[in-house]
């Protein structure tokens, strides 16, 4: 257990510069080109240090200093605690891209397909490998059904305008991943996401009222809460 957690945290630390680079590249508003290069010195945005500054010109790019690193290590610790069995690879992949997606959604309220599609492809491939390794391919049917069930619930919410278009593909992938652990975990992830997002919305509205600012609807990025809800459900199973 302890070596797995230590290894997971190390992987989290080592992947942080890459995740920070992904956040800087993809946290751009809808309709604008991806930030492939530093706007000041044109240096390619790939790996970024914890300061969040471009290594070429020290321009601030993407997320605030230390934030991606702190979240990556915390998520890696949680995944290290929760991971057992052959699905650990899929969980780790979802956690890594999930950190990047969470930051991007929190900053610009979108979940780019350039991140959600590799997330879906990686989770599907790693779950298929895990099912083969365990010799029970039937579990993939439950994953697929859970993916469609969670994806359909979120797609309905997209139709009525409660969620953004990127939320249902993310929910599809997370539903499939949680389906590996069972229907109760898939349902638990969705419920945890709704509860966490609701608590956050109420806290924000309360803080706005306390500062005598107007409450601007329920302007909450849903992606981070879907991801957090999924992690909570896997941890609590
Ligand atoms: Zn630069």
């Amino acid at each position: 257990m302890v070596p797995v957690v230590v290894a997971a945290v190390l992987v989290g630390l080592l992947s942080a510069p890459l995740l920070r680079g992904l956040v800087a590249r993809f946290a751009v508003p809808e309709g604008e080109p991806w930030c492939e290069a530093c706007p000041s010195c044109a240096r390619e945005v790939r790996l970024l240090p914890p300061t969040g500054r471009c290594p070429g010109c020290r321009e601030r790019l993407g997320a605030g200093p230390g934030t991606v690193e702190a979240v990556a290590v915390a998520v890696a610790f949680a995944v290290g605690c929760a991971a057992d069995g052959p699905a650990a690879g899929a969980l780790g992949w979802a956690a890594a891209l999930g950190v990047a997606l969470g930051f991007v959604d929190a900053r610009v309220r979108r979940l780019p397909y350039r991140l959600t599609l590799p997330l879906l492809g990686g989770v599907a491939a790693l779950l298929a490998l895990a099912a083969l390794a365990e010799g029970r391919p039937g579990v993939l049917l439950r994953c697929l059904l859970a993916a469609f069930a969670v994806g359909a619930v979120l797609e309905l919410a997209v139709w009525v305008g409660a969620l953004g278009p990127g939320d249902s593909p993310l929910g599809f992938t997370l539903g499939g991943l949680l389906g590996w652990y069972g229907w109760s975990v898939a349902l638990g992830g969705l419920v945890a996401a709704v509860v966490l997002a609701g608590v956050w919305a109420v806290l924000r509205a309360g803080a706005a009222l306390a500062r005598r600012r107007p409450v601007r609807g329920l302007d909450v990025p849903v992606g981070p809460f879907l991801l957090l809800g999924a992690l909570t459900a896997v941890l609590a199973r």
Side-chain angles (χ1 to χ4, degrees):
M1 181 76 181
V2 173
V4 175
V5 175
V6 171
V9 168
L10 267 178
V11 172
L13 261 180
L14 290 175
S15 60
L18 187 64
L19 298 179
R20 182 174 274 287
L22 289 176
V23 174
R25 271 169 100 181
F26 294 114
V28 293
E30 198 84 47
E32 286 184 21
W34 303 124
C35 177
E36 305 276 1
C38 169
S40 297
C41 70
R43 185 189 172 114
E44 197 178 6
V45 175
R46 286 240 177 260
L47 305 172
L48 287 176
T51 55
R53 292 186 184 278
C54 166
C57 68
R58 318 270 307 140
E59 165 96 359
R60 171 71 59 76
L61 297 169
T67 50
V68 178
E69 293 71 19
V71 172
V73 165
V75 168
F77 177 79
V79 165
C81 293
D84 55 356
L91 191 61
W93 179 250
L97 281 182
V99 168
L101 274 166
F103 272 92
V104 170
D105 197 21
R107 287 178 73 84
V108 293
R109 299 290 194 274
R110 67 187 292 205
L111 295 163
Y113 287 107
R114 287 275 297 269
L115 290 174
T116 52
L117 285 181
L119 175 64
L120 171 62
V123 165
L126 290 165
L127 284 183
L129 281 177
L132 283 178
E134 278 213 324
R136 50 183 195 128
V139 72
L140 292 177
L141 180 64
R142 188 176 65 207
C143 293
L144 196 63
L145 291 175
F148 276 108
V150 175
V153 169
L154 296 185
E155 188 62 31
L156 270 177
V158 173
W159 280 348
V160 299
L163 299 182
D167 292 320
S168 56
L170 178 62
F172 181 87
T173 305
L174 295 178
L177 177 60
L178 297 189
W180 173 275
Y181 300 100
W183 280 106
S184 58
V185 180
L187 181 66
L190 194 55
V191 170
V194 171
V195 169
L196 290 168
V199 168
W200 177 251
V202 168
L203 287 177
R204 266 179 48 130
L209 284 176
R211 281 180 288 158
R212 296 170 189 270
R213 298 241 179 95
V215 179
R216 287 175 296 113
L218 294 177
D219 181 27
V220 171
V222 176
F225 293 103
L226 288 175
L227 292 156
L228 204 56
L231 189 57
T232 306
V234 174
L235 274 172
R237 80 188 191 278

